C-alpha cells in the first residue's frame, strides 16, 4: 500500500533496495491512470540496464495494491519483427516467382504474334510464298492457320489471273493475224 516493491521475478532487484525501484517516476505515472479505464496502460522508458522497457500497471481490485509488469522492448516485439520479416520475405518470394512466369507467358504470347506479323507483312509486299509457321492450338494458332489459308487462296487467285492474262494476250495477238 505504501508503494514499495513486494516481489519481482529478478531477486537481485528486490535485494538491491526495492524502495527506490518501486517509486520510479515511470511506475508512479502508471499508477496514476484511472483504474476504471479498460484500455491497457502501457509505457515505454529506458530501464536500469539502458535498454527500452515496456511496462504495464494494473491495480488489484478492492485494494490499493498494484502489479507492474515490465518486459524488454526487444522481447515484446520479437514475434512481430519475425512476422514482418516473414511477410517481406514472402512478398519478395512471390515476386521472384511471378516475374519469371510473366516473362515466360509474354514470350509464349509475343513470339508467335511476331512471326505471324512478319509473314503478314511479307505477303502484303508481294511474297506470295509467305506462310506463318505457328502451329499451336490456341487462338493465335487458329489465326495463323486462317492466314495460311488466305495466303493459299491469294496465290491461287494470282496464278489464275496470270493464266487469264496470258490467254488474253495470246488471243489479242491472234486477232491481229486473223485481221491481216
Amino acid at each position: 500500500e505504501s508503494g514499495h516493491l513486494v516481489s519481482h521475478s529478478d531477486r537481485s532487484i528486490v535485494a538491491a533496495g526495492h524502495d527506490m525501484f518501486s517509486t520510479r517516476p515511470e511506475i508512479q505515472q502508471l499508477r496514476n491512470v484511472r483504474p476504471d479505464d479498460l484500455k491497457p496502460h502501457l509505457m515505454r522508458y529506458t530501464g536500469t540496464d539502458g535498454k527500452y522497457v515496456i511496462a504495464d500497471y494494473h491495480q488489484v481490485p478492492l485494494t490499493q495494491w498494484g502489479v507492474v509488469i515490465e518486459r524488454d522492448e526487444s522481447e515484446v516485439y520479437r514475434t512481430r519483427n519475425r512476422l514482418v520479416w516473414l511477410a517481406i520475405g514472402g512478398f519478395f518470394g512471390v515476386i521472384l516467382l511471378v516475374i519469371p512466369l510473366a516473362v515466360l507467358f509474354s514470350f509464349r504470347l509475343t513470339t508467335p504474334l511476331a512471326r505471324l506479323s512478319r509473314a503478314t507483312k511479307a505477303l502484303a509486299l508481294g511474297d506470295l510464298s509467305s506462310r506463318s509457321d505457328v502451329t499451336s492450338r490456341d487462338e493465335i494458332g487458329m489465326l495463323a492457320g486462317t492466314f495460311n489459308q488466305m495466303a493459299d487462296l491469294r496465290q491461287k487467285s494470282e496464278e489464275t489471273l496470270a493464266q487469264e492474262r496470258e490467254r488474253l494476250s495470246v488471243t489479242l495477238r491472234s486477232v491481229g493475224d486473223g485481221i491481216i
Side-chain angles (χ1 to χ4, degrees):
E1 291 181 357
S2 65
H4 296 295
L5 181 66
V6 175
S7 179
H8 193 276
S9 59
D10 184 354
R11 295 287 178 199
S12 65
I13 293 176
V14 176
H18 54 273
D19 290 346
M20 292 179 67
F21 177 78
S22 63
T23 57
R24 284 191 307 191
E26 298 90 0
I27 295 176
Q28 291 301 321
Q29 186 176 350
L30 280 167
R31 287 186 69 206
N32 292 334
V33 178
R34 292 189 341 235
D36 59 334
D37 189 1
L38 295 178
K39 296 178 184 173
H41 310 296
L42 297 176
M43 177 175 273
R44 178 180 183 248
Y45 53 87
T46 306
T48 55
D49 58 355
K51 294 181 181 176
Y52 283 113
V53 173
I54 305 288
D56 187 16
Y57 173 81
H58 287 281
Q59 187 169 357
V60 177
L62 305 175
T63 70
Q64 293 204 2
W65 290 74
V67 177
V68 176
I69 300 172
E70 290 183 333
R71 292 278 188 219
D72 285 341
E73 184 179 49
S74 62
E75 184 182 331
V76 171
Y77 292 125
R78 184 176 301 133
T79 303
R80 182 209 59 177
N81 292 343
R82 276 192 216 141
L83 288 175
V84 166
W85 283 110
L86 183 65
I88 290 170
F91 173 76
F92 283 112
V94 167
I95 291 297
L96 290 175
L97 180 68
V98 167
I99 287 176
L101 289 175
V103 169
L104 178 68
F105 179 73
S106 70
F107 277 126
R108 182 170 153 75
L109 182 67
T110 58
T111 302
L113 283 175
R115 283 191 265 155
L116 182 59
S117 175
R118 282 192 299 271
T120 304
K121 286 178 184 175
L123 184 66
L125 293 174
D127 181 9
L128 298 179
S129 65
S130 175
R131 299 292 183 271
S132 175
D133 59 350
V134 178
T135 59
S136 60
R137 295 181 175 253
D138 58 1
E139 291 84 3
I140 297 172
M142 291 173 32
L143 184 62
T146 304
F147 168 78
N148 290 337
Q149 288 175 356
M150 287 178 10
D152 290 339
L153 287 174
R154 178 164 179 205
Q155 188 174 18
K156 287 179 186 175
S157 296
E158 291 289 332
E159 288 171 359
T160 304
L161 184 60
Q163 289 173 357
E164 287 297 319
R165 278 190 189 143
E166 182 63 31
R167 209 178 69 186
L168 183 62
S169 175
V170 169
T171 302
L172 286 176
R173 274 184 279 157
S174 301
V175 167
D177 291 340
I179 293 177
I180 291 176

